[in-house]
Each structure stands twice: as structure tokens, then as C-alpha cells.
């Protein structure tokens, strides 16, 4: 979760955490982190993925006082559970939410879907149950998809 103090809608960003590569039939999480109090989350369009759960919402707020200086931070997390339908490239459109009346969006990205290995079903399940890989601000040359921060739109 990203914690940033004093975030206004103008400085709000949405970061994406998920896996670069999955197997056909595998279920995995896509997590959208917003560094501000957000509402009205809109799930992204999914091509080659089936939505099987969510969105689930988390909220975090903290206040600290250091040497008399007060700082506050808030964050929202939205998580969806998806299943890769078939081998190839799955595309995820932009998710969005509202922060102080302004729209904040993620950047669209893609996930490589490999052929399912029938001998590794247990391994796929244990991988999907783990913590997703953090892709904030990464460029993935293999498919040209940008993953990471997005800024408010207009």
C-alpha cells in the first residue's frame, strides 16, 4: 500500500500490482492502489480474462506527529480476482475511481498467458494464492505494456 501525506485530488495516483505472466486457467489478483481517499471504483475492461471476484476494497489511514509536525496519510486498495481464459495476451483496460470529485485512472496493460501445464495444477494454485508482484512504474519490454502510476484526468 502506498502511503503519502497531504494528497489532494490533483496529486492522486493509481498504481497497479499484478503478475507479468500467468498460465491459462489460472486465477490471480489485480490490485489497484490509490494514494488518497477514493470512491466509485470502476472495474477495468477485461479481454482474455474473466472476472471471478471483487472488487474488494481496503482503506488505510494514519496520523503521525514528529517533532510537533503532524502528517496524515490515507490510501485505498481495490482488488479484483480474475481467471486467464486462454493462451496468448490478456488485456486489462483502465480502471478508475473518484478522488475529491476528480477522476483518477490507471493505465491499461497486458498480461502474458502461457499454456497450462496439466502436471502443475497444484503449483498454479499456490502461486495464485501468494502476494502479487508489484509492478508499479515498470515497463515490460516483452509485451510493451506500461504498468504503474497514472494521474488524474480532467
Amino acid at each position: 500500500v502506498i502511503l503519502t501525506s497531504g494528497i489532494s485530488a490533483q496529486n492522486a495516483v493509481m498504481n497497479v500490482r499484478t503478475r507479468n505472466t500467468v498460465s491459462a486457467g489460472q486465477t490471480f489478483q489485480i490490485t489497484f492502489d490509490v494514494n488518497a481517499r477514493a470512491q466509485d471504483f470502476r472495474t477495468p475492461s477485461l479481454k482474455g480474462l474473466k472476472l471471478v471476484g471483487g472488487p474488494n476494497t481496503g482503506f488505510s489511514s494514519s496520523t503521525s506527529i514528529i517533532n510537533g509536525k503532524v502528517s496524515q496519510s490515507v490510501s485505498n486498495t481495490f482488488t479484483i480476482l480474475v481467471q486467464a481464459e486462454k493462451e496468448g495476451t490478456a488485456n486489462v483496460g483502465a480502471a478508475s475511481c473518484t478522488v475529491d470529485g476528480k477522476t483518477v485512472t490507471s493505465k491499461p496493460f497486458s498480461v502474458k498467458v502461457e499454456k497450462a501445464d496439466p502436471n502443475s495444477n497444484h503449483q498454479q494454485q499456490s502461486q495464485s494464492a501468494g502476494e502479487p508482484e508489484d509492478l508499479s512504474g515498470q515497463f515490460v519490454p516483452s509485451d510493451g505494456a506500461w504498468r504503474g502510476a497514472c494521474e488524474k484526468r480532467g
Side-chain angles (χ1 to χ4, degrees), residues 50-116:
K50 179 171 79 171
L51 182 66
V52 295
N56 298 321
T57 304
F59 177 76
S60 174
S61 175
S62 67
T63 302
S64 63
I65 303 172
I66 300 174
N67 294 330
K69 183 178 178 184
V70 177
S71 63
Q72 295 180 323
S73 61
V74 296
S75 65
N76 266 106
T77 301
F78 303 95
T79 302
I80 59 174
L81 193 61
V82 296
Q83 183 176 42
E85 295 180 322
K86 62 182 179 177
E87 185 179 353
T89 300
N91 296 304
V92 179
S96 64
C97 64
T98 304
V99 175
D100 294 335
K102 303 288 183 181
T103 301
V104 177
T105 60
S106 66
K107 293 197 181 288
F109 64 94
S110 57
V111 175
K112 182 179 177 184
V113 181
E114 296 178 336
K115 183 176 180 180

Side-chain angles (χ1 to χ4, degrees), residues 112-140:
K112 182 179 177 184
V113 181
E114 296 178 336
K115 183 176 180 180
D117 181 354
N119 298 323
S120 66
N121 188 34
H122 177 70
Q123 183 181 5
Q124 286 179 13
Q125 288 175 351
S126 64
Q127 285 177 346
S128 66
E131 187 66 27
E133 180 179 354
D134 185 356
L135 298 177
S136 299
Q138 289 189 16
F139 179 73
V140 182

